[in-house]
Amino acid sequence: MKLPRDFYQRDTRTVAQDLLGKYLVRVLDGLPLVLRINETEAYIGRMDKACHAYGYRRTPRTETLFAAPGTAYIYLIYGMYHCLNFVTEPEGEPAAVLIRGGDARGDVELLSRTRYGKGFSELSPYQEKNFLNGPGKLCKALSLTRAENGCSLLGDSLFVCDDLAPLGLDVPEQDALPFSIQSGKRVGIDYAQEAIDFPWRYWIDGGR
């Protein structure tokens, strides 16, 4: 079942934690690319100097952050890596959850070819270890770019669900096990003054 808009229209930190263990699905050429979210970060514009729209700053880049909850906000960093975020809270409140990492599910071969241009069995141990453990790596594996910025997470091309059965996929046994959530400082925000210390990064224990 796809997550509804109401799921995203809540406190960003709550959404960031509740997304852990959910399945992110990207449909490409009719085929689903799937991963299980294992790491997220929360960004809240009204109070967070690490957020692109801190203090309600509106620019062409940040406009998507003011959109309806359940909208994809995708931006480019270092001129080469894309980052996927889910807009949260009521429309007009600039806030979002960054999807930092995941575990491959479904057709792992297809994910591998999108990420590396070769099959999963051909990956080196280093490549396998670093498959989806970062926002840029995740976007590359899902073939997400700025072209998808602003798309709805309620549609059929990019969405989040809590079950893989509607996709005709089996849920691995380990996904049904309970897990604990860890939290800590976010990554790469040395410019953000006091916000550096906000413990708004969340991950499944053992999933980083």
Side-chain angles (χ1 to χ4, degrees):
M1 177 179 177
K2 295 177 187 174
L3 300 184
R5 192 178 305 282
D6 287 352
F7 177 91
Y8 303 98
Q9 194 169 337
R10 300 180 295 151
D11 178 81
T12 306
R13 291 157 293 191
T14 300
V15 176
Q17 294 173 74
D18 287 351
L19 280 167
L20 296 173
K22 299 288 194 292
Y23 300 101
L24 173 56
V25 182
R26 159 78 157 144
V27 178
L28 191 65
D29 298 327
L31 299 173
L33 296 163
V34 184
L35 59 84
R36 184 176 186 242
I37 299 170
N38 66 25
E39 187 173 1
T40 60
E41 289 182 350
Y43 290 85
I44 305 173
R46 63 181 173 273
M47 58 189 291
D48 178 11
K49 291 177 181 175
C51 182
H52 293 163
Y54 171 65
Y56 297 91
R57 180 171 179 263
R58 296 184 88 128
T59 68
R61 183 194 196 196
T62 66
E63 192 63 32
T64 306
L65 281 169
F66 295 85
T71 299
Y73 170 50
I74 302 177
Y75 59 86
L76 191 66
I77 58 171
Y78 310 129
M80 57 191 303
Y81 301 117
H82 289 91
C83 295
L84 171 64
N85 303 256
F86 298 159
V87 176
T88 53
E89 307 204 10
E91 186 170 353
E93 281 291 332
V97 174
L98 170 66
I99 309 303
R100 279 203 55 86
D103 297 306
R105 294 292 184 265
D107 191 339
V108 179
E109 286 294 314
L110 182 59
L111 269 175
S112 180
R113 293 192 181 281
T114 308
R115 167 83 169 91
Y116 290 112
K118 57 185 177 181
F120 189 77
S121 61
E122 302 174 77
L123 301 185
S124 68
Y126 177 84
Q127 289 174 321
E128 187 173 339
K129 179 181 178 182
N130 293 281
F131 195 4
L132 297 168
N133 61 342
K137 302 169 187 177
L138 183 150
C139 280
K140 184 169 179 57
L142 297 179
S143 191
L144 292 171
T145 69
R146 283 279 298 166
E148 285 71 47
N149 179 53
C151 79
S152 174
L153 297 169
L154 310 181
D156 295 325
S157 62
L158 182 66
F159 56 89
V160 181
C161 55
D162 50 18
D163 188 8
L164 294 178
L167 297 174
L169 300 174
D170 294 327
V171 175
E173 290 184 8
Q174 67 264 30
D175 289 3
L177 299 175
F179 58 83
S180 61
I181 296 174
Q182 302 295 315
S183 65
K185 298 179 182 180
R186 294 168 296 178
V187 177
I189 57 166
D190 295 342
Y191 56 86
Q193 298 180 0
E194 73 277 359
I196 293 172
D197 295 319
F198 293 175
W200 291 356
R201 178 166 58 94
Y202 307 97
W203 63 90
I204 293 175
D205 192 20
R208 295 172 60 210

